[in-house]
Each structure stands twice: as C-alpha cells, then as structure tokens.
C-alpha cells in the first residue's frame, strides 16, 4: 500500500522539483484579438506583441500620449448651489438635489481626457503563410516575449522586450539558415493628425498629434522611430515600407517620445527625445541590451518568490490552463497569475513615468473604454495595492507623484467649487490632473477622491519608515484634511459631522428614487476618519501643527460611526435602507475593512460580522475588479476557501461567469472590457491570504485555503519595514519563518501555530503593540476578549507573540 502511494505521488513531486517556469505560452498566434497579444512595457513604453506569423503586429503605446492639453474642469456654479443641494438632501429630496448637481456641479467642460495609442509597427512576411511548430510565450522571469515557427525547414525566432535599462522597444528576428529572412516593415496609426514617412537614414518615422476631446485641443505631439540593424542581407525603401531582403537576423529598435513635461508644461521636443533614445540604444547590440534589460527587470521581479505547489495541469498552454482552472488543481497557475500582477506593475509603472491607468500602459483604441484614464473611486487605488506588500515600493512613486500633483490642482477645485481650504478631487482624474466632477452627478458627485488617494502617501511611509518622504507628503495629507474641516456639515437629525453632498460610489438605495446623492454615506465617513487619523499621526511623527491636530481630534469625535442594520449588515448609508438582494459591484462601505483597517475581528467583532453578512448579500461573481477586491475582503475575513472561490471566479475565461467578468487568454483581467485593476487587486488579495500586516500585528497564513496545504513565499513586505524573507508551511502549519527588520522595533506576530526561536526571545503579546507603525487609531483597546471573538466569529485560534528587533537583523523561527 505504502509503495503504491509513493508511485502515485511521483509525477507531482517530480514536476514540483522541476518547478514549471513562469511563462505564459500558446500554441497559436493572437489573430485579430488584441486580448490574445502579450504585453511588454517599461513604464514609459508599452507594446502588445501579437505573434502573428505572416502579419506580425507590435501595437505601440507611450505613457504620455493623451488627448487634450493642460486644462481645468471646475464648475464655478457649484458654490452658489451648494447650500440648496445640501438642504434638499437633508430634507430627503435626493432626486432634486441630483438634478441641481448635474447643472451646477458637474463640469461643463472636459469629462476627462483619453490615453491614446501611438500606432502599430507591422511586419509582413509574405511567404510565411504555411508554417509548423508554432510557439509563442511571455517569460515573466525575464520580461521577454518570443515567437518561433518553421517555414520550409527554416526556424524563425522573434524576441521582443521593452527595455527597462534603455528607453526603447527591441525585437530581434532571426532565422537558423543564413539569408532566409525577408520582410516588409511599416507603421500605421489610428490617429487623424499624423504623418508616416521614411527618412534618409532608412528609418520609419511616425509623427502625430493627439485628439481634441470634450472641447480641449489635443496638443501632445508624439514621435515614433524604428531603425533596423541587419546581419547579412539588404534594406531598401519600398513604397511606404522598409524592405528587408535575405538577412540572417534583423534587430528593430523602436523609440517613442512626446512633448509632455508635466501636467502644465508641454514644451518638450519629441523629435529630439526620440532621436536621443534611439541613438543611445542603437549603439548597443541586441545581446547587450537584453542583458541590461533582464538585470534591470530582475532587480524588482526577483524580490518575491512564491511556490503554492504544482501539478500536471501546469504542463498545458496558458489558455488551456485558464479554461480548466475551475475544475482542476492547478496551484501553479495562481503563482503565475500572482507574479504576472507584479510583472504588469513593473512594466507599466516606473519612477518618473505616469501611473498605471485603467489599462496599465496598453491601449489600442483612439476612444478607449472610460478613456483609459484614472477612476479614483476604486480602480486607480487598486492598481497600487500590490506595490508595497509585494516589495515594489519604488513603483508606487508615479502614483504618489500624481497625488502630490492633485494636491495642487485640487486646491482650486476646493476653493472655487466648495469655498474650502485644502484640496479635493472627485471620482476621476487624468494626465492633466483635472479634479472637477464628471460624467453625471450620479457618479461624479463624490468628494472623497482626494481623501482616498492621499492615504497612499501614509501607507508608503508605514512600509518604508521614510521620514523625509513623509515630510514631503505632509502638505498633501494636511490639505486633504483641511478640505474636510471646511466641508463637513452637521447632520440636522443625527448631529454628526457629515459629507454632504456625497454618495456611496455609483450605487443608489431604492429609497432615494434612484438618486445616489446622500449625506453621511458610510464610505465618506470612513475616508474622512482615515484622512483625519493619518494626518494626526503624520503631524505627531513630524512633531508639527499641534494646534491643528488638536482640532482634528475634536472633529474626529463628531464623525458618524458605522452602523449595523436590520439585515445584520454593515450599513452602506446613514439610514438603514440597504437591500440584501442588491448585488452591486461596488461595496464601498467595506473600504473600512480593506484597504482600510477600521473594521477588525479583534477590535470591532460586531462590525466584522456585519461586514461578512454584507459580503454574502452582495454575492461573488461580478466585474473583474470587484472580484479582485472580494479576494482581499475574504482574506480579511480569514476565510481562505472563500477567497480561493473568488480566485476561481476571476480565473475563468470571459463569457463563462453569467453577467460577470473573468480573464482573457493573455491573463488580462476582464471587467469586461479589459481593465488592469482586477489583475492588481487579485495579486494583492493572494498576498493578504498569506500575510497581513494591518491589524496590530503581522498575521501569517490568515486565510490559507485547503487547496494550498503546503507552500512557501519569500520577499513580502510588511508595515513597519519588516521583510518576510522566507515563510514555509507544510500540512497547513507554518514551519519556518525568516523575518528581517529594517527599522527595528517590536515585531508582533500572529501565528497559526506555535513557533520557536533560539535563545527564547518570543514572549506572549499583550495590550497595544508598542511599535508605532502598528498603532491602531480607532481602537483604544486593541483586543476585545480574543477568545470570545474567535468563538463568536468562528475563526481559527492564533498565537500572538512579541519579538523585540534591531535594525538590520534577521530572525528565524521554526515550528
Ligand atoms: C467605475 C466602475 C466601473 C468601471 C469604471 C472604470 O466607474 O464602477 O465598473 O470599472 O470605474
């Protein structure tokens, strides 16, 4: 019997030892389907590589190619209408208030500008219609795509990457028989204002200007240049193409640039820039560029390693694995998807570039869905949830810079529209950092965009302990708080200070005639609470503004608390009007559970239980990003099996989830359409299943699903500058834990089982965690009867221990 078991287990074990590589790969080309193509990017440049055989396409993007030009979209009528709108809402005339807000608050100008493509580089291999041995892949350990196939006994290989070391996209095409490579290369572009030409240096040149949109003149000038280096063969101009004849290899260098300097300055020279990037890269050969690219990429990527086990299922092409995932055990697909989230962040968000937008940096449409801009009532924030915890802190920078920009542009909006100090933003922004209210009052009459994004500044500090950064971010945090100091009004019935007008993003209670507008919506209350609390903590850390923080503390006590309603749900609105049959994709009031930390199993068990009911009421299947958020929430619920169910729902081919999203063949998240937030949300959620650091301690394996009984992960970051260098579990028990302390201080661990450390330094933890990075602002008593909590909430028991740490030291624990 024993022997038999060993034999049965063999294939799995062997495969695990081989460790399937981190590749997306396919047996067929993309065809016409953009979502089949494979994304590459370096934060500045992006490309979708189709891997089509006779008609190859590289669809090209540059991070600053946006419609419009510097502009503002505030509605100056807002200030005069504000008292009337407030009165209407307080009196229950929500629909009337919405009507007035549509006239007086929603912009009469730009509803946001669009992220636009540059164009395509087309490669035509005329005699390659008949091919064999086709294979295409994206190796996310190297950030390189490869396509190979055979025609008439000759094997052709194409390798492409967007260099993280040099600002170019490079593709090398080779044939394994000398002189067999012939193709035509040309540019095309969907832009109206463009010129496509060949110059005297045999370069393909695509120049253009972005679209006018919503009354704003398009003034981004962009330029793309492609130059080809040959080994053997010849290059000549043929009509509007470059004709390569009988080469051994061809290396295509693509540079792209614009005149964009920042949101109020577009005086750059796109031609000079593009030529400069091209010249610099062209002086290097493909191998040198590739080596530098891989090194630059891996210094980010290699920081985190994950192993959730693997099975035979991992041997199949990625699209087949996706198709099978719901009905097979393929834990390695989760590891691949997890690392793909990190790959996508590294590729679409680099210091100095624009933050990842709704589609990261990949868009082929002149008029993309939702303009491919920044929706800040969830989507843009979600993009950056994995940044700190998956050890890509530097890549948070483009988003943090955007927050700092908004803290400037949003001052005029706060003052002109609401007569308030500080700054604010509504539910969207774009490259021009517009902060006005857009779309329609139902969606746009929301004032908490600035407040929410400002929290990322504080989070960055919590992970890094970088006081210099905190000092630079403090004015933005303080400004976000100042806005609410002036904007909050007393609720006539409840007497609490509330946001009015506000809403619970994009949802409306039936009781309000289909209007979303309200006063004191739960998410608004939670965001104001966080804005005040983090500003207070930042000011205390920096030892400044004592009088101001006193007044914030006073006001904080007057904010509306969270409520549990008649369906035992967490109330979405200040009145108990939730519908338990509502399955809306936004569950904004659970902001307090995640990404915020106001709802806790240990400190607020009743609210925690109510949140669980709310999650159950809202259901599982929804848009891609909504499912991504739910993975995080179920992880916070410490319910690994339910979190895993959401991963299954998300990793489902599009069309299978009735009425919901899923995943495309290239593992892009499907809202649908493609939206990258779901990828990032799920990567964050998988992390939260294995490690959380928000609730007074580092909680290890808080939500391990039954399907991952053994595994390991290394390189995660926790708040307070702790790095989980290694963590290994077997039989669902944590067996090894290596933690590096980069800032020192008390390390409080919440463990699933007892662990030992040499020299007996672990002691049972009690009371508040003395580590200031774990200060929990809303819980004077950090743990309300842990035993009772665990029993009432049906949670697994945990062990809470403290370990004093020193800066730079690493600590190893064993079971
Ligand atoms: C919010 C969501 C939508 C979509 C859009 C980009 O408005 O409600 O589902 O994700 O952003």
């Amino acid at each position: 019997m024993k022997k038999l078991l060993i034999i049965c287990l063999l294939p799995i074990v062997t495969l695990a030892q081989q460790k399937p590589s981190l590749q997306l790969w396919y047996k067929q080309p993309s065809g016409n389907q953009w979502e089949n193509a494979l994304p590459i990017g370096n934060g500045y440049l992006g490309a979708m590589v189709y891997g089509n055989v006779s008609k190859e396409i590289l669809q090209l993007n540059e991070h600053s190619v946006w419609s419009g030009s510097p502009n503002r979209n505030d509605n100056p009528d807002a200030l005069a209408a504000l008292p009337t709108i407030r009165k209407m809402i307080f009196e229950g005339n929500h629909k009337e208030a919405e009507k007035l807000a549509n006239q007086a608050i929603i912009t009469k100008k730009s509803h946001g500008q669009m992220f636009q493509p540059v164009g395509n580089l087309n490669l035509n291999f005329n005699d390659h219609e008949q091919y064999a041995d086709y294979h295409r892949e994206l190796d996310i350990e190297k950030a390189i795509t490869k396509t190979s196939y055979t025609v008439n006994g000759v094997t052709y290989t194409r390798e492409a990457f967007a260099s993280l070391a040099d600002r170019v996209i490079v593709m090398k095409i080779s044939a394994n028989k000398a002189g067999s490579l012939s193709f035509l290369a040309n540019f095309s572009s969907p832009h109206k204002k463009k010129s496509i030409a060949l110059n005297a240096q045999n370069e393909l040149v695509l120049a253009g200007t972005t679209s006018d949109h919503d009354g704003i003149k398009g003034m981004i000038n962009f330029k793309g240049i492609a130059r080809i280096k040959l080994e053997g063969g010849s290059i000549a101009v043929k009509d509007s193409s470059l004709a390569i004849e009988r080469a051994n290899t061809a290396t295509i260098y693509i540079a792209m640039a614009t005149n964009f300097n920042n949101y109020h300055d577009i005086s750059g020279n796109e031609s000079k820039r593009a030529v400069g990037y091209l010249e610099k890269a062209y002086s290097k050969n493909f191998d040198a560029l590739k080596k530098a690219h891989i090194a630059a990429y891996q210094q980010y990527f290699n920081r985190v390693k994950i192993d959730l086990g693997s099975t035979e299922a991992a041997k199949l092409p990625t699209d087949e694995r996706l198709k099978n995932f719901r009905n097979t055990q393929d834990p390695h697909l989760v590891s691949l998807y997890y690392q793909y989230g990190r790959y996508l962040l590294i590729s679409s968000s680099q210091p100095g570039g624009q933050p990842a937008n709704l589609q990261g940096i990949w868009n082929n449409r002149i008029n993309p869905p939702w303009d491919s801009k920044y929706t800040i009532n969830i989507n843009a924030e979600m993009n950056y949830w994995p940044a700190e915890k998956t050890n890509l802190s530097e890549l948070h920078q483009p988003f943090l810079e955007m927050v700092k920009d908004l803290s400037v542009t949003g001052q005029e909006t706060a003052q002109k529209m609401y007569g308030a100090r500080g700054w604010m933003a509504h539910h969207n922004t774009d490259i021009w950092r517009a902060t006005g209210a857009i779309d329609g009052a139902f969606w746009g009459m929301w004032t908490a965009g600035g407040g929410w994004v400002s929290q990322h500044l504080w989070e960055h500090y919590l992970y890094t302990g970088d006081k210099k950064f905190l000092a630079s971010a403090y004015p933005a945090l303080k400004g976000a708080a100042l806005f609410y100091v002036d904007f909050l009004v007393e609720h006539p019935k409840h007497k609490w200070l509330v946001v009015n007008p506000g809403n619970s993003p994009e949802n409306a209670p039936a009781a309000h005639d289909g209007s979303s507008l309200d006063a004191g919506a739960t998410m608004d209350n939670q965001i104001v609470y966080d804005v005040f609390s983090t500003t207070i903590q930042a000011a205390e850390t920096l030892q400044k503004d004592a009088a101001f923080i006193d007044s914030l503390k006073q006001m904080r006590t007057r904010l509306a608390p969270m409520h549990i309603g008649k369906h035992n749900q967490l109330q979405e609105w200040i009145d108990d009007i939730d519908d338990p049959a509502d399955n809306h994709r936004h569950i904004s009031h659970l902001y307090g559970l995640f990404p915020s930390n106001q709802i806790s199993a240990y400190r607020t068990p009743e609210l925690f239980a109510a949140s669980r009911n709310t999650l159950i009421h809202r259901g599982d299947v929804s848009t891609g990003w909504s499912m991504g958020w739910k993975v995080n929430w179920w992880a916070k619920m410490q319910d690994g099996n339910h979190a895993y169910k959401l991963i299954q729902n998300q990793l489902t081919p599009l069309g299978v989830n009735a009425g919901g999203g899923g995943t495309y063949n290239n593992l892009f998240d499907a809202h649908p359409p493609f939206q990258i937030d779901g990828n990032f949300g799920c990567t964050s959620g998988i992390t939260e299943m294995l490690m959380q650091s928000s609730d007074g301690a580092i909680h290890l394996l808080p939500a391990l699903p039954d399907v991952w009984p053994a595994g390991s992960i290394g390189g995660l970051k926790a708040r307070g500058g702790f790095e989980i260098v290694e963590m290994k579990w077997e039989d669902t028990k944590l067996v090894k834990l290596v933690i590096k302390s980069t800032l020192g201080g008390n390390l409080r661990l919440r463990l699933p089982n007892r662990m030992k450390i040499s020299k007996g330094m672990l002691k049972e933890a009690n009371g508040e965690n003395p580590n200031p990075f774990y200060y929990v602002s809303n819980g004077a008593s950090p743990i309300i009867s842990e035993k009772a909590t665990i029993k009432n909430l049906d949670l697994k028991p945990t062990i809470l221990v403290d370990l004093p740490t020193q800066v730079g030291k690493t600590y190893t624990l064993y079971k």
Side-chain angles (χ1 to χ4, degrees):
M1 181 66 200
K2 223 177 188 177
K3 249 186 198 161
L4 197 75
L5 196 74
I6 291 169
I7 292 165
C8 291
L9 283 176
L10 250 180
I12 299 177
V13 174
T14 321
L15 202 75
Q17 277 162 355
Q18 275 174 5
K19 289 240 164 79
S21 58
L22 291 174
Q23 285 185 5
L24 286 71
W25 69 276
Y26 308 84
K27 289 179 177 166
Q28 65 286 330
S30 300
N32 294 326
Q33 186 73 32
W34 184 82
E35 294 85 355
N36 282 340
L38 294 168
I40 54 173
N42 65 7
Y44 293 90
L45 311 176
M48 293 292 280
V49 183
Y50 279 62
N52 288 346
V53 176
S54 63
K55 289 195 182 347
E56 174 64 305
I57 300 168
L58 276 82
Q59 184 267 310
L60 302 168
N61 286 105
E62 201 272 356
H63 70 136
S64 60
V65 176
W66 282 68
S67 68
S69 43
N71 74 89
R72 300 195 57 86
N73 60 355
D74 308 311
N75 188 336
D77 299 340
L79 193 53
L82 187 60
T84 315
I85 292 172
R86 284 183 160 157
K87 192 162 174 278
M88 287 169 165
I89 291 175
F90 280 143
E91 287 173 355
N93 298 322
H94 302 89
K95 200 76 195 170
E96 290 301 305
E98 190 176 318
K99 255 191 223 155
L100 183 51
N102 269 320
Q103 289 158 22
I105 291 190
I106 295 302
T107 187
K108 295 196 165 60
K109 294 182 173 161
S110 165
H111 286 255
Q113 296 299 315
M114 309 179 288
F115 175 56
Q116 298 194 304
V118 170
N120 291 350
L121 179 71
N122 308 296
L123 308 174
N124 293 335
F125 300 78
N126 284 334
D127 48 356
H128 288 197
E129 305 281 323
Q130 302 297 325
Y131 58 88
D133 304 328
Y134 181 88
H135 174 93
R136 93 189 146 98
E137 70 184 35
L138 171 64
D139 181 343
I140 62 167
E141 279 173 301
K142 297 198 174 90
I144 292 181
T145 61
K146 209 190 247 179
T147 306
S148 62
Y149 57 89
T150 307
V151 173
N152 292 333
V154 180
T155 299
Y156 294 86
T157 309
R158 304 174 195 154
E159 265 187 286
F161 57 90
S163 173
L164 273 162
D166 297 85
R167 206 153 147 175
V168 286
I169 289 171
V170 202
M171 177 180 262
K172 180 173 181 177
I173 312 171
S174 33
N176 69 350
K177 187 175 155 214
S180 8
L181 187 60
S182 300
F183 63 96
L184 289 175
N186 59 49
F187 270 135
S188 59
S189 173
H191 280 275
K192 265 195 198 140
K193 291 179 227 159
K194 63 166 176 250
S195 74
I196 294 176
L198 284 149
N199 67 15
Q201 294 93 55
N202 274 347
E203 287 171 343
L204 291 164
V205 183
L206 165 59
T209 302
T210 56
S211 306
D212 304 344
H213 186 57
D214 261 359
I216 309 294
K217 197 171 162 43
M219 290 175 71
I220 289 291
N221 299 325
F222 60 86
K223 178 154 274 182
I225 312 176
R227 198 193 282 176
I228 304 180
K229 203 184 257 182
L230 296 184
E231 276 172 42
S234 65
I235 190 162
V237 171
K238 193 173 169 197
D239 305 325
S240 59
S241 300
L242 280 178
I244 285 75
E245 297 281 349
R246 296 195 183 81
N248 309 331
T249 74
T251 304
I252 308 174
Y253 296 71
I254 307 162
M256 291 179 276
T258 73
N259 57 339
F260 179 87
N261 288 337
N262 58 50
Y263 69 90
H264 54 82
D265 175 2
I266 49 171
S267 65
N269 184 324
E270 67 282 3
S271 293
K272 258 199 191 147
R273 284 175 178 168
V275 169
Y277 301 139
L278 185 69
E279 290 297 344
K280 211 169 149 228
Y282 197 79
S283 64
K284 304 174 196 175
N285 68 29
F286 181 80
D287 289 341
L289 286 171
K290 182 172 157 182
K291 204 172 154 203
H293 165 64
I294 293 174
Y297 173 73
Q298 291 187 338
Q299 61 116 356
Y300 295 115
F301 186 77
N302 287 355
R303 291 174 191 174
V304 172
K305 302 253 185 267
I306 182 169
D307 182 2
L308 300 173
S310 62
T311 58
E312 291 288 319
K315 284 186 171 164
L316 293 175
T318 307
D319 46 344
E320 292 177 37
R321 291 173 75 181
L322 178 66
K323 221 178 275 165
N324 298 340
F325 184 69
R326 287 166 76 93
N327 308 313
T328 4
Q329 286 300 320
D330 189 1
H332 181 263
L333 188 65
V334 180
S335 304
L336 178 69
Y337 186 73
Y338 180 80
Q339 291 289 34
Y340 190 51
R342 297 183 66 246
Y343 167 82
L344 292 171
L345 195 66
I346 300 169
S347 305
S348 63
S349 183
Q350 285 288 320
Q354 288 300 310
N357 60 50
L358 279 175
Q359 298 187 186
I361 192 171
W362 299 281
N363 165 44
N364 64 336
R365 302 195 214 179
I366 282 286
N367 291 290
W370 290 287
D371 304 329
S372 195
K373 56 185 185 297
Y374 302 99
T375 310
I376 52 176
N377 65 14
I378 172 61
N379 318 83
E381 289 91 343
M382 184 177 277
N383 284 359
Y384 284 88
W385 288 350
E388 300 290 342
K389 61 186 96 159
T390 78
N391 212 335
L392 299 172
S393 183
E394 304 94 316
L395 309 189
H396 208 168
Q397 191 255 13
F399 187 84
L400 302 175
E401 286 302 311
M402 179 165 82
V403 179
K404 288 182 180 170
D405 288 348
L406 293 172
S407 77
V408 177
T409 58
Q411 282 175 31
E412 205 174 316
T413 308
Q415 191 232 324
K416 268 204 184 141
M417 291 183 63
Y418 302 111
R421 294 169 296 166
W423 65 281
M424 67 83 66
H426 296 86
H427 89 303
N428 262 262
T429 190
D430 58 15
I431 198 169
W432 310 113
R433 309 306 189 232
T435 45
I438 70 157
D439 288 349
F442 185 95
W443 304 272
M445 187 56 269
W446 186 66
T447 62
W452 189 350
V453 296
S454 75
Q455 295 309 291
H456 282 244
L457 301 168
W458 177 247
E459 284 289 302
H460 181 67
Y461 169 71
L462 284 185
Y463 279 90
T464 60
D466 183 348
K467 278 212 178 122
K468 220 171 121 210
F469 169 81
L470 186 63
S472 79
Y474 179 71
L477 271 174
K478 182 179 176 183
L482 257 185
F483 169 72
Y484 285 119
V485 167
D486 289 354
F487 188 71
L488 291 172
V489 284
E490 190 180 88
H491 196 293
K493 188 167 104 199
H494 303 293
K495 307 294 173 200
W496 291 308
L497 290 177
V498 294
V499 168
N500 180 16
N503 70 40
S504 187
E506 311 196 20
N507 199 11
H512 292 174
D513 292 336
S515 170
S516 72
L517 268 58
D518 205 2
T522 301
M523 186 199 225
D524 276 340
N525 303 333
Q526 292 168 339
I527 289 178
V528 180
Y529 188 95
D530 273 354
V531 168
F532 282 7
S533 300
T534 55
T535 304
I536 291 165
Q537 286 181 66
E540 284 175 348
T541 308
L542 298 168
Q543 297 182 317
K544 56 203 299 179
D545 285 341
F548 177 61
I549 62 172
D550 271 350
S551 65
L552 284 188
K553 282 179 181 170
Q554 287 296 321
M555 285 186 90
R556 190 171 59 172
T557 61
R558 297 184 59 204
L559 297 176
M562 288 178 263
H563 297 278
I564 298 168
K566 58 178 176 247
H567 307 289
N568 294 321
Q569 86 285 15
L570 184 77
Q571 274 179 220
E572 182 159 6
W573 293 280
I574 205 160
D575 295 316
D576 190 3
I577 48 179
D578 301 59
D579 174 3
D582 177 8
N583 64 356
H584 199 277
R585 62 195 178 284
H586 288 262
I587 321 180
S588 303
H589 41 317
L590 294 190
Y591 162 90
L593 176 66
F594 184 91
S596 184
N597 182 37
Q598 295 171 30
I599 300 168
S600 146
Y602 307 101
R603 290 173 288 111
T604 62
E606 294 87 1
L607 294 172
F608 186 84
S611 301
R612 183 148 71 192
N613 292 333
T614 291
L615 269 175
I616 292 165
H617 293 164
R618 283 297 233 270
D620 293 338
V621 167
S622 189
T623 58
W625 64 258
S626 179
M627 295 193 282
W629 201 346
K630 286 170 187 167
V631 178
N632 293 272
W633 282 321
W634 282 109
K636 290 284 287 203
M637 284 290 142
Q638 303 183 28
D639 188 336
N641 287 340
H642 206 134
Y644 183 73
K645 191 162 166 244
L646 263 306
I647 297 176
Q648 283 180 307
N649 289 333
Q650 210 175 342
L651 278 173
T652 291
L654 191 57
V656 177
N657 283 325
T663 295
Y664 294 102
N665 281 339
N666 64 2
L667 300 190
F668 268 174
D669 177 70
H671 181 290
F674 162 52
Q675 246 177 238
I676 206 159
D677 39 21
N679 286 95
F680 293 135
C682 192
T683 294
S684 163
I686 295 164
T687 314
E688 296 285 324
M689 290 166 78
L690 302 174
M691 190 274 294
Q692 296 171 15
S693 67
S694 47
D695 199 8
I698 298 182
H699 190 169
L700 299 156
L701 299 180
L704 192 67
D706 295 342
V707 288
W708 306 336
S712 66
I713 190 162
L716 296 179
K717 284 277 187 157
R719 290 172 178 83
F722 295 107
E723 180 170 340
I724 318 297
V725 179
E726 193 191 338
M727 142 179 172
K728 207 168 169 232
W729 64 98
E730 283 165 8
D731 246 340
T732 75
K733 298 272 183 293
L734 193 59
V735 293
K736 188 178 178 196
L737 180 63
V738 184
I739 297 193
K740 184 173 177 187
S741 171
T742 63
L743 302 170
N746 183 55
L747 169 61
R748 177 165 293 181
L749 297 169
R750 186 177 282 284
L751 301 168
N753 49 268
R754 278 200 192 284
M755 303 280 286
K756 288 183 271 231
I757 188 167
S758 57
K759 293 175 205 142
M761 286 189 292
L762 289 179
K763 64 171 199 298
E764 204 176 308
N766 270 309
E768 185 105 27
N769 186 346
N771 186 324
F773 293 98
Y774 284 83
Y775 173 70
V776 183
S777 58
N778 63 337
S781 128
I783 297 164
I784 307 167
S785 167
E786 172 133 359
K787 271 202 186 122
T789 298
I790 286 169
K791 192 162 166 261
N792 290 342
L793 297 175
D794 195 21
L795 301 177
K796 287 195 191 97
T798 55
I799 289 152
L800 204 59
V801 290
D802 278 345
L803 179 66
T805 68
Q806 284 169 26
V807 178
K809 283 222 164 139
T810 299
Y811 302 83
T812 304
L813 283 72
Y814 290 98
K815 183 167 171 283

